Amino acid sequence: MPRKVVSGPDYDDDYNDDYDEYQDGYDDYDETGHGDIQQPVEEKESVKKSSSVAPVLWRCSMCMFDNHEKMVHCEMCGVFRESFMKSAKDGSIKGNGISSDFGTPPVPKSDSTKMPAKTHTTDFGGGPGRKYASTFHEKVSSTQSASVGSSSGTGNKMKHTTLAEDVPIDRTVQLIPDHFQLKEDQNSRASSSAQNEDVAQTLSSDICKLGIEKNDVDITKPCLPEEYKPDKWMFSVEESGVLSQLNLATVGHVDSGKSTLSGRLLHLLGRISKKDMHKNEKEAKEKGKGSFAYAWAMDESTEERERGVTMTVAVAYLETKKYCVVLLDSPGHKDFVPNMISGTTQADAAILVVDACTGSFEAGMDGEGGKSIGQTKEHAQLVRSFGVEQLIITINKMDVVGYSKDRFEFIKVQLRNFLRSCNFKDSSVTWIPLSAVENQNLIKIPSDARLTSWYQGLCLLDAIDSFQLPSRDVSKPLVLPICDVIKSQSTGQLAAFGKLETGAIRNGSKALVSPCGQVATVKSIERDSNPCDIARAGDNVAVSLQGVDGSKLIPGGVLCNPGFPVPVSNFLELRVLVLDITIPILVGYQVEFHIHHVKEAARVTKIVALLDKSGKPSKTAPRFLKSKQNAIIQVTLDGAVCVQEFSKCRALGREFLRSSGSTIAVGVVMRVLGQDQN
């Protein structure tokens, strides 16, 4: 930022000796400004010597900017000089040539510890003039800072520390122009250096004493993430009979049987009553969709039942021997992939459901006639981009192919190669053949001899128990991305529903609602539809708040610690992996930007560099991006979103770019660049 200087009249650079005559014309003025009193010759000579001394600079304690000694506040940030503030507290405004009574020059005090020094100033109010001021470098201790000059005139001392009203501060910057600075001799340079050292020591002792009581200016240093200290109650305590929560997503191509599998599993574990199941079977037969009875346990909306497809992510709860499972049933149709992204970002692990029928598996891999990527591939890529590393591959509808081992092995070979390209490890992937409709290999070993003759592995329920919980970080500040806004069952009020990514929350604690910026109080918490007092990282909860308007709770918002707000920005730098695309990505390319539970229209504003396999950026920026390339790009969003660098918060740093109904790139947020006004 260029230094801002308020100067007097402009002078030509090529001035001549006429300036000496211009200056000597004011020798008749004394320190009171009256021209009828002649000054002694000795004083005039001493003034000329003092005028050659370089101006003393003082450094701002906030922005470290070097200011002229005449300044009472920093030119860059506006913070008042520490010695000036100390003088205000003592009852007088002191400074180099500046007093509370600006019409009368300061009168030096006689003290053995003070050394007077004359300074030269230029009066820009009416014309150049010579004023005499005395500056004193006092001896200071650890509890007392140096004050320069003294206050005189009326003799009344100030009784308040206020500055805005009681103290008439001249904020006009008065500096000596560079054209008027004379050559300094060796002795003056040494004296100025010693004075600078004394001033620097004085200012360093004043840093912690700066205070403005009336205006109550908050100059507290912002907290850094590493300075956050969690409370003791945030750490989990093992309780007998309480199961750990596992967020499990079911994904896969449309009509692969995801909702039927989820509904059947809930029914077998007693989570669906016989009355509800009988009602679903009756309604399904009336509409000629008898096989949809179990799917309707998850697809409850009228539109979903009429169309026969899942449109939004359905949430259900079940218990295994080891976990309390939050089941996230995702839509498989390509038109609802954005909804799948919004809901499945909460997953700790996933079940990829594959249709074993001839033609159905191939459609899920290669799309319609090989023209586009199928949802089996796309969902696998997205799930891995969510950070999910553990995966169960369920080969469903095995009864249709007669529980053929050859069909199972064919699907396994084809899909395994693709999963490896998505960075799934073989040891983290479990393969299970089953039939949801005939209840084969769901919660117990299969009974059909055609399957047991060649498969002796785990059933689906045991495979879920084999998952390992990912690390839960409660040592970081609270971050809860809002997936949906629902009606609380306990209070009847609107509640923010989502997965607690980091930190912990309890009843009565404060939470900042972003992006609106309002602070609210936690009224109640529901975990697994049951009230609880404390929720920790990894829990899927519904949080009711008081002190905030319900309209401010929106999907895509974030509940966070008031002392550690989540940034809100529309200008980001991303590191992306380009997927299989047919049209190259150019600067200005329009995309859909997806991050946690929000999507926003965006455009690529800059392609910064390509990245090689080692992550090293290229020296020159490419003109476009094509398939399988890693790159760093900058995007501008139409609207600001809650976002965080991936290195600071993974849940708020994973992003996806889509265009024309397909996912074209996945990646992470490298930098939050702020607000782009273009």
Side-chain angles (χ1 to χ4, degrees):
M1 180 176 178
R3 185 173 180 181
K4 215 173 165 184
V5 179
V6 179
S7 60
D10 295 331
Y11 297 94
D12 295 334
D13 294 337
D14 52 350
Y15 68 92
N16 51 25
D17 295 338
D18 294 339
Y19 170 69
D20 295 333
E21 298 177 2
Y22 179 82
Q23 186 182 29
D24 293 338
Y26 288 85
D27 290 342
D28 295 337
Y29 285 82
D30 65 352
E31 59 180 303
T32 61
H34 301 287
D36 56 347
I37 301 177
Q38 299 292 331
Q39 292 190 16
V41 177
E42 294 81 13
E43 290 185 1
K44 289 195 289 183
E45 293 179 355
S46 62
V47 168
K48 292 183 179 180
K49 290 183 180 180
S50 63
S51 64
S52 63
V53 179
V56 180
L57 301 180
W58 62 273
R59 178 163 295 180
C60 177
S61 61
M62 294 299 295
C63 65
M64 307 306 292
F65 183 76
D66 291 332
N67 297 270
H68 194 269
E69 61 177 346
K70 302 301 182 297
M71 297 295 298
V72 297
H73 61 86
C74 179
E75 290 184 81
M76 185 63 66
C77 64
V79 172
F80 287 102
R81 185 175 178 180
E82 283 78 359
S83 59
F84 179 80
M85 295 306 307
K86 179 62 179 178
S87 301
K89 290 183 178 180
D90 293 340
S92 62
I93 302 299
K94 303 177 182 181
N96 291 346
I98 300 176
S99 65
S100 59
D101 186 359
F102 292 97
T104 305
V107 178
K109 296 182 180 179
S110 60
D111 195 287
S112 59
T113 62
K114 301 175 183 178
M115 179 176 62
K118 297 181 180 180
T119 60
H120 176 77
T121 61
T122 303
D123 183 9
F124 295 108
R130 184 171 298 171
K131 298 180 181 178
Y132 289 86
S134 298
T135 58
F136 303 95
H137 301 286
E138 299 180 357
K139 295 181 181 180
V140 296
S141 61
S142 58
T143 60
Q144 181 179 6
S145 63
S147 63
V148 184
S150 62
S151 176
S152 63
T154 60
N156 296 329
K157 294 187 178 180
M158 295 162 46
K159 299 181 180 180
H160 306 286
T161 59
T162 57
L163 298 177
E165 300 175 359
D166 299 333
V167 182
I169 301 174
D170 186 6
R171 299 184 181 274
T172 304
V173 182
Q174 296 187 1
L175 298 179
I176 301 176
D178 294 339
H179 301 307
F180 300 159
Q181 293 184 3
L182 304 179
K183 295 183 179 180
E184 57 185 5
D185 57 6
Q186 196 71 16
N187 296 332
S188 298
R189 185 180 295 111
S191 175
S192 176
S193 176
Q195 293 177 5
N196 287 340
E197 292 180 359
D198 293 341
V199 173
Q201 294 177 358
T202 300
L203 294 179
S204 63
S205 65
D206 288 343
I207 293 177
C208 58
K209 298 181 180 180
L210 179 62
I212 302 178
E213 298 177 0
K214 181 175 180 179
N215 296 332
D216 193 19
V217 178
D218 184 10
I219 57 172
T220 305
K221 181 182 178 182
C223 297
L224 299 177
E226 55 268 23
E227 296 177 354
Y228 175 77
K229 295 181 180 180
D231 297 330
K232 293 182 178 180
W233 62 266
M234 296 182 178
F235 295 94
S236 59
V237 179
E238 293 186 2
E239 302 177 7
S240 59
V242 178
L243 300 175
S244 301
Q245 192 175 77
L246 177 72
N247 298 281
L248 183 63
T250 56
V251 297
H253 194 65
V254 63
D255 291 334
S256 60
K258 298 182 298 299
S259 297
T260 300
L261 175 61
S262 300
R264 185 73 169 183
L265 198 59
L266 292 172
H267 178 254
L268 293 173
L269 296 175
R271 304 294 294 189
I272 301 177
S273 64
K274 293 182 179 180
K275 180 180 179 180
D276 292 338
M277 195 65 225
H278 178 72
K279 179 182 178 181
N280 290 340
E281 290 176 350
K282 181 179 179 181
E283 292 179 355
K285 289 180 180 179
E286 290 176 355
K287 295 185 178 181
K289 300 178 180 179
S291 61
F292 283 66
Y294 292 106
W296 283 6
M298 305 299 293
D299 301 337
E300 297 180 348
S301 69
T302 303
E303 187 176 2
E304 285 180 322
R305 293 187 175 186
E306 289 179 353
R307 298 183 59 172
V309 295
T310 302
M311 300 173 62
T312 59
V313 175
V315 181
Y317 302 90
L318 59 90
E319 291 185 359
T320 66
K321 297 177 182 179
K322 190 176 178 181
Y323 297 118
C324 175
V325 179
V326 180
L327 197 60
L328 306 169
D329 182 36
S330 306
H333 197 279
K334 64 180 182 180
D335 292 345
F336 306 112
V337 171
N339 295 341
M340 174 264 179
I341 294 175
S342 176
T344 315
T345 51
Q346 307 171 79
D348 299 319
I351 299 175
L352 179 60
V353 183
V354 178
D355 191 344
C357 298
T358 304
S360 298
F361 167 71
E362 288 75 12
M365 295 292 289
D366 300 326
E368 299 176 358
K371 297 180 180 180
S372 62
I373 185 174
Q375 268 55 63
T376 299
K377 279 187 174 182
E378 184 175 11
H379 284 201
Q381 290 174 333
L382 291 174
V383 165
R384 186 65 188 91
S385 300
F386 298 152
V388 174
E389 298 179 353
Q390 303 175 89
L391 191 64
I392 294 177
I393 309 296
T394 57
I395 314 299
N396 193 21
K397 303 183 183 180
M398 287 295 293
D399 56 305
V400 179
V401 296
Y403 298 99
S404 171
K405 181 181 179 180
D406 294 337
R407 182 62 176 172
F408 175 80
E409 292 295 337
F410 173 80
I411 294 174
K412 186 176 180 179
V413 170
Q414 295 291 322
L415 190 54
R416 176 186 288 169
N417 294 332
F418 177 75
L419 294 177
R420 287 174 178 172
S421 68
C422 297
N423 294 326
F424 281 105
K425 298 179 180 179
D426 291 347
S427 59
S428 300
V429 179
T430 304
W431 302 82
I432 299 178
L434 55 80
S435 174
V437 174
E438 294 190 357
N439 186 22
Q440 293 294 322
N441 211 20
L442 292 181
I443 63 173
K444 59 183 180 180
I445 59 175
S447 58
D448 196 301
R450 292 176 294 176
L451 182 57
T452 57
S453 61
W454 57 269
Y455 180 78
Q456 288 81 33
L458 298 173
C459 66
L460 178 59
L461 197 63
D462 292 340
I464 294 175
D465 278 335
S466 68
F467 282 137
Q468 300 296 321
L469 279 178
S471 60
R472 312 294 199 189
D473 196 350
V474 298
S475 63
K476 291 184 178 181
L478 169 69
V479 172
L480 194 158
I482 301 175
C483 176
D484 198 3
V485 179
I486 63 176
K487 191 173 183 180
S488 173
Q489 296 183 1
S490 59
T491 63
Q493 298 179 347
L494 292 178
F497 177 80
K499 177 187 174 184
L500 237 170
E501 297 293 348
T502 59
I505 193 172
R506 66 176 176 179
N507 292 332
S509 60
K510 299 292 184 180
L512 177 66
V513 182
S514 292
C516 70
Q518 295 184 8
V519 178
T521 304
V522 177
K523 185 176 182 181
S524 66
I525 304 173
E526 291 183 6
R527 181 178 181 266
D528 305 341
S529 300
N530 298 316
C532 64
D533 295 329
I534 299 176
R536 298 180 177 87
D539 292 341
N540 215 294
V541 295
V543 181
S544 297
L545 302 171
Q546 62 181 8
V548 63
D549 188 359
S551 62
K552 302 298 182 180
L553 299 177
I554 57 174
V558 175
L559 300 184
C560 55
N561 190 306
F564 297 83
V566 172
V568 180
S569 174
N570 73 333
F571 188 31
L572 309 171
E573 185 172 276
L574 316 175
R575 187 185 69 197
V576 297
L577 168 63
V578 182
L579 304 180
D580 295 324
I581 59 176
T582 56
I583 301 176
I585 299 176
L586 303 170
V587 174
Y589 195 85
Q590 299 290 329
V591 296
E592 284 182 2
F593 179 85
H594 293 259
I595 189 165
H596 53 93
H597 308 298
V598 65
K599 69 175 181 178
E600 192 69 41
R603 69 183 185 278
V604 178
T605 54
K606 184 178 181 180
I607 301 176
V608 179
L610 285 176
L611 300 177
D612 57 18
K613 293 183 179 180
S614 62
K616 184 178 179 181
S618 60
K619 295 182 179 180
T620 59
R623 295 177 58 190
F624 60 88
L625 299 178
K626 56 184 180 180
S627 299
K628 305 301 182 183
Q629 286 185 330
N630 286 279
I632 296 177
I633 64 174
Q634 292 180 1
V635 296
T636 299
L637 283 59
D638 288 358
V641 299
C642 299
V643 62
Q644 185 68 281
E645 287 90 349
F646 180 76
S647 59
K648 297 180 181 179
C649 181
R650 295 190 174 188
L652 299 183
R654 291 190 176 97
E655 49 78 21
F656 313 90
L657 302 182
R658 288 176 54 82
S659 178
S660 302
S662 300
T663 304
I664 61 173
V666 297
V668 297
V669 177
M670 298 292 291
R671 290 194 300 159
V672 178
L673 302 177
Q675 298 291 332
D676 188 357
Q677 303 298 333
N678 296 331

